[in-house]
């Protein structure tokens, strides 16, 4: 065949075959799905890995940063875990800073490009200064080796907080002892690591006595909102401030009062309200005997929106403490805390505080877990749908400290097992869980894990949106052309969900979804509905749209494969087009596993993968092929080839029966079934159908 990509059969020649193979998916690890087994190791180098922080990587995975003394003094390391559970950077992490002496207290913020900003306290020069570094998505430092100086003023700089500014850089705040007592300072760094405000930072608060444990959230305008513990009035109160993108303080100098009620208020946690302000919850001893949970919203102008000194989130009997805050996406927040109202052990409770300060759920909150023994040290993240996911230390088994988690909807309905799912119950203890959204309604939970009961390692587990551990999603392994056919079909192969062989849970079937070309989506937009529910899409012939699972496609159902407890399956599916010379349009597919046909069925979607089909069979030879020479020209004729995929005919001219059709003897591409050749002498002709 004279042209690569064509399929042709000369009247007397051989046929060229093309086979299309989809690129194989990259190798991947899988998240474990046994809570009693080992978790994914983030770092298990000698000595303790501690003080870890975690943020999402924007692609279904997470980035962890921690303090690590493997070299003899504390250094800062980082690791990125992909959505599949595979570590993406060097084993045991990449070095963020290993300068002389000790580095500790890291803070971290995603940079929006798959990397992170990191700050830490650093004693390389003797005093404790503040440094920063940026790692790209591959874990490569982008600024000066071992970091750029954020602040090296006199005395110590500690307890930094960090947030991306939304403009390519980051804002950092910290407690600073340059004047004797601890004050608060802040600095903005560009994406290149250059300080944007006054050298060594601008004053955030230098009121009398100490200000410490500052927290930051972005204000959506290139600045940030901060809140902190403050002892200017003789005991711990809560204050807040907003910093503009130019470093100017927008609210009252030294901050606005969030709560100055009697007793102490501290352990505040904050979240952005989505309108330039923030929401705050804290533990509060204003009653004099036991701690309660209170909350306040400060608007973009620095005014408290709710009751003076905050609204009571929970004032039940005994102590409620250590709140965790997750924004609800509508100006309010979901707050969880540890609570001993009904036993001598802590349980985990939660409440939804609406944007106006009202409590949406049962007074004093609903239990997220009241399993046996204690549940404590709760932390949370958004589920991306108006609800929240919380993780905590859990003693229910009576064998030590484990990690558990729960998802709760915005309406107050727990989504997983009533007492929460055990994330890790391996030997020894697991401490200080930190949940990070996986971007699809689930969570990656990092925790300190001493598997040998000697030193702390850093590990992680994943809980997907329905409360199953690991990767219950099926995984497409190949999309290959079906051999020796007329094109239009590929063989789709996938690895089954691990739940397929689970006798307690199981998978009912797999549904195969095919991408719809963008032009067709636009053409059908007025006549064909779109749905985010797969059953509704199937019932109504609608196009399935899953922004979180596959943002670049709309999908239509093309088949179903019953589950049979197998490790893998395949299905022959039609493509939306065939390859032609110079063009190999791909069709994407997605496999959905579901556990029942009910409207409440759980659905797990594979990542999309694509391939293209080829008509591997040559058209029939044109026949009869006749010619008549006369008056210096040759009139050629043949009967039409009626195959639907025929592109046309090619004519070749030679001087002997043995000539081989090729570019040197090519005459013409023809669509019709006749041709008059004006060559002066008789020739041998060969004709191919393409």
């Amino acid at each position: 065949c004279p042209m690569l990509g064509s399929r042709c059969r000369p009247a007397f020649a051989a046929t060229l075959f093309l086979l299309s193979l989809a690129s194989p998916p990259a190798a991947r690890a899988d998240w474990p799905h046994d809570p009693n087994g080992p978790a994914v190791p983030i770092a298990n180098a000698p000595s303790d890995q501690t003080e870890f922080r975690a943020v999402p990587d924007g692609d279904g995975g997470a980035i962890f940063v921690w303090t690590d003394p493997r070299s003899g003094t504390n250094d800062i390391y980082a690791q990125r875990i992909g959505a599949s559970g595979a570590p993406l950077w060097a084993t045991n992490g990449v070095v963020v800073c290993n300068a002389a002496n000790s580095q500790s207290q890291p803070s971290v913020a995603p940079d929006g490009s798959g990397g992170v900003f990191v700050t830490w306290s650093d004693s390389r020069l003797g005093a404790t200064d503040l440094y920063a570094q940026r790692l790209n998505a591959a874990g490569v430092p982008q600024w000066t080796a071992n970091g750029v100086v954020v602040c090296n003023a006199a005395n110590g700089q500690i307890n930094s907080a960090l947030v991306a500014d939304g403009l390519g850089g980051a804002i950092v705040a910290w407690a600073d002892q340059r004047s004797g007592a601890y004050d608060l300072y802040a600095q903005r760094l560009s994406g290149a690591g250059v300080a944007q405000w006054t050298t060594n930072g601008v004053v955030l608060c230098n009121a009398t006595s100490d200000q410490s444990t500052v927290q930051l959230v972005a204000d959506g305008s290139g600045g940030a909102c901060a809140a902190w513990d403050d002892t200017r009035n003789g005991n711990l109160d809560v204050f807040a401030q907003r910093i503009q993108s130019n470093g100017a303080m927008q609210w009252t100098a030294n901050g606005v009062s969030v709560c100055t009620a009697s007793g102490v208020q501290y352990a505040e946690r904050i979240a952005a309200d989505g309108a330039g302000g923030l929401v705050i919850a804290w533990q509060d001893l204003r009653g004099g005997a036991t701690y309660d949970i209170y909350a306040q919203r400060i608007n973009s102008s620095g005014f408290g929106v709710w009751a003076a000194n905050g609204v009571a989130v929970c004032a039940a009997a005994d102590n409620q403490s250590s709140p965790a805050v997750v924004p609800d996406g509508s100006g309010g927040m979901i707050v969880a805390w540890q609570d001993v109202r009904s036993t001598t052990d802590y349980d985990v409770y939660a409440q939804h505080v609406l944007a106006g300060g009202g409590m949406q759920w049962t007074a004093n909150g609903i239990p997220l877990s009241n399993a046996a023994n204690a549940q404590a040290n709760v932390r949370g993240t958004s589920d991306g749908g108006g609800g929240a996911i919380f993780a905590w230390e859990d003693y229910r088994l009576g064998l030590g400290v484990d990690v558990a988690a729960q998802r709760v909807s915005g309406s107050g309905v727990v989504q997983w097992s009533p007492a929460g799912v055990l994330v890790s119950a391996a030997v020894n203890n697991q401490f200080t869980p930190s949940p990070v959204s996986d971007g699809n309604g689930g969570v990656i939970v990092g925790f300190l894990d001493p598997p040998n009961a000697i030193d702390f390692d850093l590990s992680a587990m994943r809980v997907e949106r329905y409360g199953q551990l690991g990767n219950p999603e099926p995984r497409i392994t190949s999309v290959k052309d079906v051999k020796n056919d007329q094109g239009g079909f590929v063989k789709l192969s996938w690895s089954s969900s691990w739940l397929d062989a689970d006798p307690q849970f199981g998978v009912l079937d797999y549904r195969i979804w095919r991408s719809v070309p963008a032009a067709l989506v636009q053409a059908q937009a007025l006549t064909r509905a779109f749905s985010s529910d797969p059953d509704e899409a199937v019932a109504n012939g609608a196009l399935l749209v899953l922004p979180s699972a596959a943002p670049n496609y709309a999908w239509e159902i093309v088949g179903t494969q019953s589950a049979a407890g197998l490790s893998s399956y395949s299905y022959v599916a039609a493509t939306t087009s065939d390859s032609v010379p110079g063009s190999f349009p791909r069709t994407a597919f997605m496999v959905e596993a579901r556990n029942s046909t009910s409207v409440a069925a759980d659905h797990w979607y594979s990542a999309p993968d694509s391939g293209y089909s080829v008509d591997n069979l040559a058209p029939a030879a044109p026949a009869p092929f006749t010619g008549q020479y006369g008056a210096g020209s040759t009139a050629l004729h043949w009967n039409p080839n009626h195959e639907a995929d025929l592109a046309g005919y090619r004519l070749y001219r030679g001087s002997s029966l043995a000539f081989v059709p090729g570019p040197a003897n090519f005459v013409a591409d023809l669509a019709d079934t006749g041709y008059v050749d004006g060559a002066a002498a008789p020739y041998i002709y060969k004709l191919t159908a393409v």
Side-chain angles (χ1 to χ4, degrees), residues 32-37 369 371-372 374-375 391-406 416-417 419-426 430 445 447 461-463 467-470:
H33 54 262
D34 179 5
N36 300 305
S369 178
Q375 291 78 45
W392 59 85
E393 295 174 350
D394 196 297
Y395 298 76
R396 71 182 67 181
L397 299 180
L399 302 174
V401 188
D402 300 320
V403 173
Q406 179 65 275
W416 300 342
S417 59
V421 299
L422 279 174
V423 177
S424 179
Q430 293 77 44
V445 183
F447 49 89
M461 292 283 280
R462 180 195 182 219
V463 190
Q468 300 292 338
L469 297 182

Side-chain angles (χ1 to χ4, degrees), residues 412-434:
V413 179
V414 294
Q415 302 296 293
W416 300 342
S417 59
V421 299
L422 279 174
V423 177
S424 179
V427 296
N428 300 318
N429 299 306
Q430 293 77 44
F431 299 99
T432 61
S434 180

Side-chain angles (χ1 to χ4, degrees), residues 255-278:
V256 299
S257 166
V258 176
C259 182
T260 55
S262 60
V264 298
Q265 295 80 37
Y266 68 102
E268 69 280 347
R269 293 291 182 269
I270 70 175
D273 70 353
L278 72 164

